[in-house]
Amino acid sequence: MSFDDTVTIAVDAMGGDHAPGVVLEGVASALEKDEKLQVILVGPAEVVEPFASSHARCVAQPATEVIAMDEHPAQAVRKKKDSSIVVGCRAVKEGRAQGFFSAGSTGACLAGATLGIGRIKGVQRPALCSVIPSPVAPVVMTDIGANADCKPEYLVQFARMAAIYAEKIVGIESPRIALLNIGEEDTKGSQFAQQTFELMKEGVPGFVGNAEGNDIINARYDVIVTDGFTGNVTLKTIEGTSKALFSALKEVMTSSLKAKVGGLALKKDLKELKDSINADTYGGAPLLGVAGVCLVGHGSSNATAIMNGVLASAEMVRKDVAGLISEAVGK
Amino acid sequence: MSFDDTVTIAVDAMGGDHAPGVVLEGVASALEKDEKLQVILVGPAEVVEPFASSHARCVAQPATEVIAMDEHPAQAVRKKKDSSIVVGCRAVKEGRAQGFFSAGSTGACLAGATLGIGRIKGVQRPALCSVIPSPVAPVVMTDIGANADCKPEYLVQFARMAAIYAEKIVGIESPRIALLNIGEEDTKGSQFAQQTFELMKEGVPGFVGNAEGNDIINARYDVIVTDGFTGNVTLKTIEGTSKALFSALKEVMTSSLKAKVGGLALKKDLKELKDSINADTYGGAPLLGVAGVCLVGHGSSNATAIMNGVLASAEMVRKDVAGLISEAVGK
């Protein structure tokens, strides 16, 4: 670790539904906000070169290919060696950047980072982690989709990695860690959950027991640990439920003149509530356990979300999250 | 099947957080609403006998024990042979009642019905089914917790049983059935999900593919099929998320005078929205695959929910859901 806090993040200029427009805008804002930030902007020469030449602390890294959202992640990463995701991860592997950020295909980023950057020694499986959009307090959940099939011992590592992220990045001191299960009692759940419970009890400092589905968004625990299948379904269920309720609420507020008046009076407060459960605050989902920083933003990211993602990537580098994970989990 | 549509339902007088008060109230309303309904009221003599003697079409069935919410379900069912749940299920087994309703411990009802009433011949595992509280349209989900560990072939049966429930009770013609998974594409998901997908493609009429967590509450599909672990976590996540958002909304609406005025104007409409996502409308979660009707109500059921549960049990008997499941799934 150096005392110089200059950080270089490789950014996928082609990641996300509104790339490259919002990515360039977001990178510009991030460079403005963080004067010790350097960006390697990865993408087609005609996109990245004009931007780099007009922005200080930004270097263009041409990449001729792009991995689309609907491509098979692992196959695309293997085939498209000159794609922005593969080239961005390579910059981290070669030490030219300390972190990689993309709002592109989550699967391709996972495959790109796992193959391209590589795992921290001793980490069995990297895990995707997210801060749950809760109106009460931030809740960290992992794995949210990197590993559809898990062994109980993976979850012990997921828990320890997520605890570091919760503490260093989300700012939760001594996080209370729970296993997502279908009952509170120690003996509840599937065979997998029961075995994991026993391992976590032994091997995870801060482990407090089982959480149920209705314990997540009310922030009863700080870190929710589960396999990538359950985690992905759960996270998307939360997002879908919030979205459906806000949309039903909007309908209610335009259903009559009286309701419209009421809605108008509440508009600002409701906007604030909606923002408070906006997942973009933390800039994206980190892939914990790779030998460097890799953060994946929402495909629907706007410029602010991209800026947050780039800044969050830099923060993860500065806080040395990967190093701390290596100490805690690695061998 | 007889042309006489008189139906007898055994009701657990001691089921639920507010038993027996709300149960008696709910049964009284159900008897009033449905003139062909007969109730066998199961519980302590001092509770059920006075009620039965003052209500037509109600017979008291004394049971000296009660299974509490926090008891180990299977153990309690084996030990407490004179509990209201065990005695109620026995009434169905012996043909004195065609259905059993309880707002008590879900686990004890599952164990009581599986052991006491028994499975339909050919059904590998009974599955707990629920109508998801969606503001858009009713969505049937199964298994929501009866089987934490499943084999892919169980889910094929779950799907076929839930389709009958969706069609006959919820009123969804030709329901569109989806497998809960972590991606839309056919090849996505855990090994379990991939194997299940292949079996469902072959063996489930109306199967349309994979659903994701954010496809549930917006009613993109009519029936969501999953294992009891994922289903339970997902259902509780939806309930928890709705509850947290409504409670945040309530806070917003009292945060300032202006907001209070706005909230007041919306009060009635919001109440309607909240009611529309109230899970109690369908009276509880049926355990599909047992040789009779068994419906489990929410522990927090009020009198209306109890009434709905008793009436829904009678409807399931009249529509011969168990018979149709036996034809479709049984051997």
PDB file of all heavy atoms in Angstrom, chain B residues 280-297:
ATOM      1  N   ASP B 280     -55.341 -12.209   2.432  1.00  0.00           N
ATOM      2  CA  ASP B 280     -56.442 -12.925   3.066  1.00  0.00           C
ATOM      3  C   ASP B 280     -57.641 -13.151   2.154  1.00  0.00           C
ATOM      4  O   ASP B 280     -58.543 -13.911   2.482  1.00  0.00           O
ATOM      5  CB  ASP B 280     -56.896 -12.187   4.328  1.00  0.00           C
ATOM      6  CG  ASP B 280     -55.851 -12.291   5.428  1.00  0.00           C
ATOM      7  OD1 ASP B 280     -55.007 -13.197   5.335  1.00  0.00           O
ATOM      8  OD2 ASP B 280     -55.884 -11.476   6.354  1.00  0.00           O
ATOM      9  N   THR B 281     -57.635 -12.460   1.006  1.00  0.00           N
ATOM     10  CA  THR B 281     -58.787 -12.550   0.108  1.00  0.00           C
ATOM     11  C   THR B 281     -59.139 -13.989  -0.238  1.00  0.00           C
ATOM     12  O   THR B 281     -60.302 -14.352  -0.351  1.00  0.00           O
ATOM     13  CB  THR B 281     -58.492 -11.781  -1.199  1.00  0.00           C
ATOM     14  OG1 THR B 281     -57.881 -10.551  -0.856  1.00  0.00           O
ATOM     15  CG2 THR B 281     -59.770 -11.536  -1.977  1.00  0.00           C
ATOM     16  N   TYR B 282     -58.113 -14.825  -0.434  1.00  0.00           N
ATOM     17  CA  TYR B 282     -58.366 -16.198  -0.849  1.00  0.00           C
ATOM     18  C   TYR B 282     -58.428 -17.161   0.344  1.00  0.00           C
ATOM     19  O   TYR B 282     -58.422 -18.360   0.165  1.00  0.00           O
ATOM     20  CB  TYR B 282     -57.363 -16.643  -1.910  1.00  0.00           C
ATOM     21  CG  TYR B 282     -57.608 -15.889  -3.178  1.00  0.00           C
ATOM     22  CD1 TYR B 282     -56.973 -14.675  -3.418  1.00  0.00           C
ATOM     23  CD2 TYR B 282     -58.535 -16.353  -4.100  1.00  0.00           C
ATOM     24  CE1 TYR B 282     -57.252 -13.940  -4.559  1.00  0.00           C
ATOM     25  CE2 TYR B 282     -58.819 -15.628  -5.240  1.00  0.00           C
ATOM     26  CZ  TYR B 282     -58.175 -14.423  -5.480  1.00  0.00           C
ATOM     27  OH  TYR B 282     -58.464 -13.696  -6.599  1.00  0.00           O
ATOM     28  N   GLY B 283     -58.448 -16.597   1.533  1.00  0.00           N
ATOM     29  CA  GLY B 283     -58.783 -17.396   2.700  1.00  0.00           C
ATOM     30  C   GLY B 283     -57.685 -18.274   3.254  1.00  0.00           C
ATOM     31  O   GLY B 283     -57.881 -18.945   4.248  1.00  0.00           O
ATOM     32  N   GLY B 284     -56.533 -18.261   2.622  1.00  0.00           N
ATOM     33  CA  GLY B 284     -55.451 -19.071   3.172  1.00  0.00           C
ATOM     34  C   GLY B 284     -54.737 -19.875   2.098  1.00  0.00           C
ATOM     35  O   GLY B 284     -55.045 -19.777   0.913  1.00  0.00           O
ATOM     36  N   ALA B 285     -53.768 -20.645   2.552  1.00  0.00           N
ATOM     37  CA  ALA B 285     -52.933 -21.427   1.643  1.00  0.00           C
ATOM     38  C   ALA B 285     -53.394 -22.883   1.650  1.00  0.00           C
ATOM     39  O   ALA B 285     -53.356 -23.531   2.691  1.00  0.00           O
ATOM     40  CB  ALA B 285     -51.480 -21.332   2.084  1.00  0.00           C
ATOM     41  N   PRO B 286     -53.836 -23.395   0.487  1.00  0.00           N
ATOM     42  CA  PRO B 286     -54.237 -24.797   0.451  1.00  0.00           C
ATOM     43  C   PRO B 286     -53.012 -25.710   0.365  1.00  0.00           C
ATOM     44  O   PRO B 286     -52.012 -25.366  -0.261  1.00  0.00           O
ATOM     45  CB  PRO B 286     -55.059 -24.891  -0.831  1.00  0.00           C
ATOM     46  CG  PRO B 286     -54.499 -23.826  -1.724  1.00  0.00           C
ATOM     47  CD  PRO B 286     -54.026 -22.715  -0.809  1.00  0.00           C
ATOM     48  N   LEU B 287     -53.128 -26.841   1.031  1.00  0.00           N
ATOM     49  CA  LEU B 287     -52.103 -27.876   0.888  1.00  0.00           C
ATOM     50  C   LEU B 287     -52.603 -28.816  -0.196  1.00  0.00           C
ATOM     51  O   LEU B 287     -53.520 -29.609   0.039  1.00  0.00           O
ATOM     52  CB  LEU B 287     -51.908 -28.611   2.212  1.00  0.00           C
ATOM     53  CG  LEU B 287     -50.827 -29.694   2.209  1.00  0.00           C
ATOM     54  CD1 LEU B 287     -49.454 -29.100   1.948  1.00  0.00           C
ATOM     55  CD2 LEU B 287     -50.819 -30.471   3.524  1.00  0.00           C
ATOM     56  N   LEU B 288     -52.018 -28.677  -1.377  1.00  0.00           N
ATOM     57  CA  LEU B 288     -52.492 -29.462  -2.522  1.00  0.00           C
ATOM     58  C   LEU B 288     -51.827 -30.830  -2.541  1.00  0.00           C
ATOM     59  O   LEU B 288     -50.623 -30.944  -2.317  1.00  0.00           O
ATOM     60  CB  LEU B 288     -52.193 -28.721  -3.827  1.00  0.00           C
ATOM     61  CG  LEU B 288     -52.785 -27.315  -3.943  1.00  0.00           C
ATOM     62  CD1 LEU B 288     -52.349 -26.666  -5.260  1.00  0.00           C
ATOM     63  CD2 LEU B 288     -54.303 -27.351  -3.849  1.00  0.00           C
ATOM     64  N   GLY B 289     -52.632 -31.860  -2.810  1.00  0.00           N
ATOM     65  CA  GLY B 289     -52.072 -33.202  -2.921  1.00  0.00           C
ATOM     66  C   GLY B 289     -52.478 -34.121  -1.783  1.00  0.00           C
ATOM     67  O   GLY B 289     -52.179 -35.310  -1.815  1.00  0.00           O
ATOM     68  N   VAL B 290     -53.160 -33.561  -0.757  1.00  0.00           N
ATOM     69  CA  VAL B 290     -53.694 -34.438   0.283  1.00  0.00           C
ATOM     70  C   VAL B 290     -55.096 -34.892  -0.142  1.00  0.00           C
ATOM     71  O   VAL B 290     -55.781 -34.209  -0.907  1.00  0.00           O
ATOM     72  CB  VAL B 290     -53.749 -33.769   1.690  1.00  0.00           C
ATOM     73  CG1 VAL B 290     -52.345 -33.616   2.243  1.00  0.00           C
ATOM     74  CG2 VAL B 290     -54.454 -32.429   1.646  1.00  0.00           C
ATOM     75  N   ALA B 291     -55.507 -36.019   0.402  1.00  0.00           N
ATOM     76  CA  ALA B 291     -56.757 -36.643  -0.019  1.00  0.00           C
ATOM     77  C   ALA B 291     -57.958 -35.999   0.672  1.00  0.00           C
ATOM     78  O   ALA B 291     -58.695 -36.654   1.422  1.00  0.00           O
ATOM     79  CB  ALA B 291     -56.703 -38.141   0.264  1.00  0.00           C
ATOM     80  N   GLY B 292     -58.143 -34.743   0.410  1.00  0.00           N
ATOM     81  CA  GLY B 292     -59.210 -33.957   1.030  1.00  0.00           C
ATOM     82  C   GLY B 292     -58.760 -32.512   0.965  1.00  0.00           C
ATOM     83  O   GLY B 292     -57.702 -32.220   0.419  1.00  0.00           O
ATOM     84  N   VAL B 293     -59.545 -31.621   1.549  1.00  0.00           N
ATOM     85  CA  VAL B 293     -59.160 -30.210   1.509  1.00  0.00           C
ATOM     86  C   VAL B 293     -58.496 -29.848   2.829  1.00  0.00           C
ATOM     87  O   VAL B 293     -58.988 -30.226   3.904  1.00  0.00           O
ATOM     88  CB  VAL B 293     -60.391 -29.317   1.252  1.00  0.00           C
ATOM     89  CG1 VAL B 293     -60.088 -27.866   1.581  1.00  0.00           C
ATOM     90  CG2 VAL B 293     -60.840 -29.458  -0.193  1.00  0.00           C
ATOM     91  N   CYS B 294     -57.377 -29.164   2.739  1.00  0.00           N
ATOM     92  CA  CYS B 294     -56.735 -28.614   3.930  1.00  0.00           C
ATOM     93  C   CYS B 294     -56.255 -27.216   3.604  1.00  0.00           C
ATOM     94  O   CYS B 294     -55.444 -27.015   2.700  1.00  0.00           O
ATOM     95  CB  CYS B 294     -55.568 -29.497   4.371  1.00  0.00           C
ATOM     96  SG  CYS B 294     -54.603 -28.741   5.700  1.00  0.00           S
ATOM     97  N   LEU B 295     -56.782 -26.240   4.327  1.00  0.00           N
ATOM     98  CA  LEU B 295     -56.459 -24.844   4.057  1.00  0.00           C
ATOM     99  C   LEU B 295     -55.878 -24.229   5.330  1.00  0.00           C
ATOM    100  O   LEU B 295     -56.441 -24.388   6.413  1.00  0.00           O
ATOM    101  CB  LEU B 295     -57.737 -24.099   3.651  1.00  0.00           C
ATOM    102  CG  LEU B 295     -57.560 -22.870   2.773  1.00  0.00           C
ATOM    103  CD1 LEU B 295     -57.256 -23.277   1.330  1.00  0.00           C
ATOM    104  CD2 LEU B 295     -58.823 -22.021   2.773  1.00  0.00           C
ATOM    105  N   VAL B 296     -54.760 -23.515   5.187  1.00  0.00           N
ATOM    106  CA  VAL B 296     -54.106 -22.915   6.344  1.00  0.00           C
ATOM    107  C   VAL B 296     -54.192 -21.396   6.247  1.00  0.00           C
ATOM    108  O   VAL B 296     -53.703 -20.809   5.270  1.00  0.00           O
ATOM    109  CB  VAL B 296     -52.632 -23.341   6.440  1.00  0.00           C
ATOM    110  CG1 VAL B 296     -52.027 -22.877   7.759  1.00  0.00           C
ATOM    111  CG2 VAL B 296     -52.473 -24.841   6.278  1.00  0.00           C
ATOM    112  N   GLY B 297     -54.795 -20.775   7.226  1.00  0.00           N
ATOM    113  CA  GLY B 297     -54.914 -19.321   7.231  1.00  0.00           C
ATOM    114  C   GLY B 297     -53.713 -18.655   7.892  1.00  0.00           C
ATOM    115  O   GLY B 297     -52.912 -19.306   8.567  1.00  0.00           O
TER     116      GLY B 297
END
